[in-house]
């Protein structure tokens, strides 16, 4: 969702801000704008549509040189994506400019108050009220930092605000409540952004801010206060060093970030395993801030997340219950707190989020902690809100995920879930050490297995070519193949914009089989033979859809000959244990969605209507 950049320093602020916005494009947006402080005034440009429209506006009417500026990519909430509603928004006299991410919930009341006082608001946005309030405060004699503190005390909702004052070229001021914001600290320059990708080419030293903090950046450094103006307490914000560089945020020769990220999965799995077990295969999750004693007392696990992260949770349930015998529930984060879940001190809530900023998941963990449950985050983004508000965290170390559709994020969420399950089994003694070591050994093989599937992409690409006019595709799976069927369908929906559905294969005859018609493509994820009768039951399901005319695209492990006669297309998977099969089965489905959407001429990295970090509920 919205991307924010702020800069003060020795460089040309327009360049830094526009380049920063370009690096935040992946978050999803429908308009863009910039404002600078020049010669005692604010100057601004903004345009509906993609950054190219803003680039053109800047080429037609260049901005003057400036060392202080802010910029924004907007994902519309209040008011349609027009030039008028694009950010920055200016105060009544054009002295203060503001960009904003989030929703100001009491904006209607504030707007009515402003209009009663004679203010004329020019847009449909909630943001503009903040610009008018800030400007009124600086006009009344406050500096911009004090003004921000005063205004934040009046605002309700979730927001990041970043502002400049035409009369004060030396500072940019920001505040955050339930919405992302990081600070970049350079030599004689400072940055603000929704995430570090915006300034990673200039500095890798960042600060993660606490809740309800106001930050003032200048050429000389950074000051953090609370909204009452008190200096922020040590520990309430955290300096850290970003462990990836600019090259990770570029496409590296691929046509899409998504394709690059699919191909980065072997390395991402390795990075997620690194240092987390000893030479004997015993798990060591040193960063986990929950004691072994507390983990032994856990009597229920609830896994919360949204979208792809929810499917990772579904896979985790199979593995964690099997290895630990602790009952696991899987819950969509946005449903969780509204059903009054039963939570006790012995409940472990595992929140899975690539971005660490998903508002639905954040609200779920806050609810869980209020009820005294322990919360463990599985997250890919250092410095983000969800891990900061959790009792413990397992970082997934996949590197920045820029394509909107999650791929390496999902893959490493699976790794983290498996590691957590094995660690719990180790601590609670529900698996012997050699059994754990054996599974760890299998996980260590995964990068090579995934690489093998990537090297065979051509088969999936041919399939995408043949199916490029399909209007509907089904995905079937059983056991851990069921969430993978759901994930395959989600990838196709979001990228190719066609009807795609995933089903538990056993559910077919209870309704969905009515959808099957001649030549309908049906992907079938076949469990490895030998796990009870799962395999045979899946083969029956494949026969049933094929008998009704479906084109079956079967994903089955090497050596599984039983299924071959019923496969119109057969994609071979490396032989792995059933519980780990999602890590290999998902890869062809990711490649298929990416390739099909490419052939359809869609923007794979920024699918329509979607945002990378969903920071509003
Ligand atoms: C789908 C996808 C989304 C996210 C979901 C949660 O490809 O990426 O479904 O998985 O929005 O996002 P995070 O993991 O950032 O909480």
């Amino acid at each position: 969702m919205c991307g924010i950049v702020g800069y003060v320093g020795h460089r040309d602020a327009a360049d830094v801000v526009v380049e920063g916005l370009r690096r935040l494009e992946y978050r999803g947006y429908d308009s863009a704008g910039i404002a600078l402080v020049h010669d005692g005034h604010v100057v601004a440009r903004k345009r509906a549509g993609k950054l190219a429209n803003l680039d053109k506006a800047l080429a037609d009417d260049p901005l003057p040189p400036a060392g202080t500026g802010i910029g924004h990519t907007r994902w519309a909430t209040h008011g349609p994506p027009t030039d008028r509603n694009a950010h920055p928004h200016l105060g009544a006299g054009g002295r203060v400019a503001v960009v904003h991410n989030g929703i100001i919930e009491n904006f209607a009341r504030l707007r009515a108050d402003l209009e009663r006082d004679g203010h004329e608001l020019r847009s449909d946005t909630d943001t503009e009220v903040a610009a008018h309030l800030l400007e009124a405060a600086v006009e009344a004699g406050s500096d911009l930092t004090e003004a921000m503190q005063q205004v934040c005390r009046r605002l309700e909702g979730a927001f990041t605000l970043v502002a400049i004052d035409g009369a004060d070229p030396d500072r940019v001021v920001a505040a955050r409540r339930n919405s992302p914001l990081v600070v970049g600290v350079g030599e004689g320059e400072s940055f603000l952004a929704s995430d570090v990708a915006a300034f990673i080419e200039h500095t890798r030293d960042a600060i993660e801010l606490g809740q309800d903090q106001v930050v003032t950046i200048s050429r000389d450094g950074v000051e953090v206060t609370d909204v009452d103006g008190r200096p922020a307490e040590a520990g309430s914000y955290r300096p850290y060093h970003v462990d990836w560089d600019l090259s990770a945020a570029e496409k590296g020769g691929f046509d899409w970030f998504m394709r690059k990220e699919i191909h980065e999965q072997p390395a991402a799995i390795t990075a997620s395993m690194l240092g987390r077990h000893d030479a004997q295969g015993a798990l060591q999750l040193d960063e986990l801030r929950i004691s072994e004693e507390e983990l032994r007392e856990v009597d229920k696990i609830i896994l919360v997340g949204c979208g792809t992260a929810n499917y990772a949770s579904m896979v985790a349930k199979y593995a964690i219950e099997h290895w630990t015998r602790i009952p696991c529930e899987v819950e969509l984060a946005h449903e969780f707190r509204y059903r009054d879940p039963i939570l006790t001190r012995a409940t472990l809530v595992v929140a899975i989020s690539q971005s660490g900023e998903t508002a639905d998941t954040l609200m779920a963990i806050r609810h869980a902690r209020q009820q005294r449950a322990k919360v463990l985050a599985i997250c890919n983004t250092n410095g983000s809100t969800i891990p900061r508000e959790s009792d413990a965290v397992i970082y997934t170390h996949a590197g920045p995920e820029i394509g909107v559709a999650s791929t390496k994020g999902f893959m490493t969420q699976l790794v983290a879930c498996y590691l957590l399950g094995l660690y719990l089994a180790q601590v609670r003694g529900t698996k012997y050490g050699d059994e754990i070591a054996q599974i760890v050994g299998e996980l260590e093989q995964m990068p090579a297995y995934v690489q093998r599937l990537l090297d065979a992409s051509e088969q999936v690409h041919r399939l995408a070519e043949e199916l490029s006019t399909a209007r509907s595709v089904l995905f079937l799976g059983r056991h851990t193949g069921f969430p993978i069927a759901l994930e395959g369908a989600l990838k196709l929906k979001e990228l190719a914009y066609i009807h795609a559905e995933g089903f538990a294969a056993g559910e077919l005859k209870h309704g969905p089989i009515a959808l099957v018609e001649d030549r309908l493509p049906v992907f079938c994820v076949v469990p490895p033979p030998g796990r009870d009768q799962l395999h045979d039951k899946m083969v029956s399901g494949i026969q049933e859809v094929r008998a009704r005319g479906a084109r079956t695209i079967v994903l089955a492990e090497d050596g599984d000959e039983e299924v071959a006669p019923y496969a119109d297309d057969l994609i071979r998977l490396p032989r792995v244990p059933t519980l780990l099969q999602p890590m290999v089965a998902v890869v062809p489905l990711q490649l298929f969605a990416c390739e099909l959407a490419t052939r359809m001429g869609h923007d794979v990295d920024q699918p329509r209507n979607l945002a990378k970090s969903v920071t509003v509920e």
Side-chain angles (χ1 to χ4, degrees):
M1 288 188 162
C2 306
I4 285 183
V5 182
Y7 177 72
V8 51
H10 49 81
R11 296 171 209 267
D12 183 57
D15 287 350
V16 174
V17 169
V18 172
E19 276 319 300
L21 293 180
R22 224 177 288 292
R23 301 221 178 270
L24 298 182
E25 275 194 290
Y26 76 93
R27 298 172 69 88
Y29 71 105
D30 38 41
S31 56
I34 175 171
L36 307 175
V37 179
H38 172 75
D39 203 15
H41 300 284
V42 164
V43 282
R45 307 275 186 276
K46 49 192 195 167
R47 286 291 179 275
K50 292 289 174 187
L51 264 183
N53 297 356
L54 180 65
D55 287 338
K56 180 163 183 320
L58 293 174
D60 294 346
D61 186 8
L63 284 167
T68 304
I70 56 177
H72 190 259
T73 46
R74 172 173 187 250
W75 192 85
T77 53
H78 288 77
T82 57
D83 287 357
R84 203 167 59 93
N85 288 333
H87 299 208
H89 289 282
L90 272 52
R95 173 176 164 183
V96 166
V98 175
V99 294
H100 165 221
N101 177 15
I103 294 177
I104 298 171
E105 285 167 3
N106 58 338
F107 98 99
R109 205 169 58 240
L110 294 169
R111 184 177 176 123
D113 291 349
L114 283 165
E115 285 174 342
R116 221 180 6 257
D117 293 346
H119 286 251
E120 197 181 317
L121 285 101
R122 295 171 287 254
S123 74
D124 309 318
T125 66
D126 49 345
T127 309
E128 199 181 351
V129 300
H132 281 247
L133 291 172
L134 282 169
E135 186 164 303
V138 292
E139 287 288 336
S142 299
D143 66 31
L144 189 60
T145 306
E146 292 158 354
M148 185 65 87
Q149 292 156 354
Q150 291 159 25
V151 170
C152 285
R153 295 200 291 268
R154 296 185 62 186
L155 301 183
E156 290 164 17
F159 52 82
T160 300
L161 289 169
V162 183
I164 48 174
D165 175 358
D168 185 353
D170 296 325
R171 71 173 89 189
V172 179
V173 180
R176 74 169 287 269
R177 176 181 300 161
N178 294 334
S179 184
L181 179 68
V182 281
V183 181
V185 185
E187 290 279 319
E189 59 183 350
S190 306
F191 306 80
L192 292 163
S194 307
D195 69 60
V196 294
F199 54 71
I200 194 74
E201 67 186 291
H202 305 300
T203 180
R204 289 166 68 181
D205 291 319
I207 299 176
E208 100 187 23
L209 293 172
Q211 180 72 334
D212 272 315
Q213 291 189 328
V214 172
V215 58
T216 304
I217 61 164
S218 66
R219 287 173 185 77
D220 305 324
V222 175
E223 264 177 39
V224 187
T225 69
D226 64 17
V227 292
D228 294 317
R230 290 183 291 255
E233 286 172 25
S236 64
Y237 60 96
R238 185 179 71 95
Y240 66 102
H241 189 71
V242 182
D243 58 6
W244 48 271
D245 63 13
L246 181 61
S247 64
E250 294 188 328
K251 284 190 205 153
F254 286 88
D255 51 350
W256 303 112
F257 278 110
M258 181 188 179
R259 207 186 300 273
K260 174 181 171 237
E261 288 157 8
I262 293 172
H263 283 264
E264 283 172 344
Q265 292 181 116
I269 298 168
T270 305
S272 296
M273 297 282 297
L274 201 68
R276 284 174 165 164
H277 62 87
D278 65 18
Q280 283 70 47
L283 271 297
Q284 42 194 28
L285 293 185
D286 300 337
E287 75 264 44
L288 212 68
R289 300 182 302 250
I290 302 182
S291 70
E292 293 195 2
E293 197 182 333
E294 285 169 314
L295 290 177
R296 274 191 282 272
E297 278 162 13
V298 168
D299 64 8
K300 179 169 74 172
I301 295 176
I302 306 182
L303 297 125
V304 295
C306 303
T308 289
N310 174 245
Y311 301 147
S313 304
M314 290 173 72
V315 174
K317 175 181 163 79
Y318 288 93
I320 298 177
E321 283 192 340
H322 181 69
W323 291 333
T324 68
R325 311 313 294 157
I326 306 171
C328 293
E329 293 171 16
V330 175
E331 187 95 29
L332 286 164
H334 35 89
E335 290 293 319
F336 177 68
R337 68 180 164 141
Y338 299 105
R339 72 162 178 92
D340 193 15
I342 299 167
L343 297 162
T344 69
R345 285 172 196 276
T347 310
L348 177 66
V349 172
V350 178
I352 305 185
S353 175
Q354 187 285 130
S355 63
E357 298 294 351
T358 299
D360 293 316
T361 311
L362 179 61
M363 294 309 156
I365 66 168
R366 285 195 182 152
H367 179 78
R369 292 193 77 197
Q370 274 162 10
Q371 309 290 313
R372 304 276 182 272
K374 284 258 170 299
V375 174
L376 183 149
I378 289 179
C379 183
N380 193 40
T381 313
N382 203 331
S384 59
T385 310
I386 289 171
R388 197 174 45 239
E389 295 202 13
S390 299
D391 298 295
V393 57
I394 301 178
Y395 281 111
T396 49
H397 301 305
E401 188 177 66
I402 292 178
V404 162
S406 187
T407 53
K408 62 177 181 172
F410 176 71
M411 183 66 84
T412 53
Q413 284 164 0
L414 294 180
V415 175
C417 289
Y418 292 136
L419 293 178
L420 173 65
L422 293 172
Y423 185 66
L424 286 168
Q426 178 176 295
V427 167
R428 298 163 69 103
T430 52
K431 282 264 165 223
Y432 293 116
D434 59 337
E435 293 171 317
I436 292 173
Q438 193 191 347
I439 305 167
V440 169
E442 301 276 1
L443 283 170
E444 290 287 349
Q445 301 297 315
M446 285 296 165
Y449 293 152
V450 171
Q451 189 59 51
R452 190 195 105 178
L453 291 161
L454 296 173
D455 293 342
S457 309
E458 204 36 52
Q459 181 192 9
V460 178
H461 291 178
R462 267 200 313 278
L463 204 57
E465 187 181 352
E466 287 168 31
L467 297 178
S468 60
T469 54
R471 296 312 309 148
S472 179
V473 180
L474 301 188
F475 294 78
L476 303 180
R478 286 192 88 108
H479 195 263
T480 53
F482 169 40
I484 295 308
L486 295 171
E487 172 64 359
L490 177 62
K491 286 283 138 341
L492 211 52
K493 274 185 265 214
E494 63 184 330
L495 299 176
Y497 318 148
I498 61 175
H499 170 243
E501 276 192 79
F503 296 108
E507 190 65 7
L508 258 192
K509 48 193 173 302
H510 300 288
I513 201 161
L515 289 169
V516 177
E517 57 189 16
D518 210 30
R519 304 311 292 157
L520 177 80
V522 182
F523 282 81
C524 310
V525 182
V526 182
R531 171 56 61 97
D532 304 324
Q533 288 150 21
L534 265 183
H535 176 268
D536 298 351
K537 296 227 162 78
M538 185 69 202
V539 176
S540 308
I542 298 171
Q543 284 175 276
E544 285 160 17
V545 290
R546 199 155 183 269
R548 288 160 180 82
R551 172 174 177 172
T552 56
I553 302 144
V554 175
L555 286 73
E557 73 171 27
D558 291 333
D560 180 355
E561 296 310 332
E562 212 182 313
V563 79
Y566 312 111
D568 293 308
D569 302 274
L570 186 55
I571 297 173
R572 286 297 185 186
L573 302 176
R575 293 178 86 147
V576 299
T578 307
L579 287 169
L580 305 189
Q581 200 197 41
M583 292 180 72
V584 289
V586 76
V587 176
L589 306 187
Q590 296 168 336
L591 288 167
F592 178 73
C594 181
E595 185 63 18
L596 190 72
T598 305
R599 287 180 180 277
M600 289 173 144
H602 296 168
D603 185 335
V604 168
D605 285 335
Q606 294 170 46
R608 70 183 181 200
N609 304 339
L610 293 178
K612 182 69 181 162
S613 297
V614 185
T615 50
V616 292
E617 277 187 272

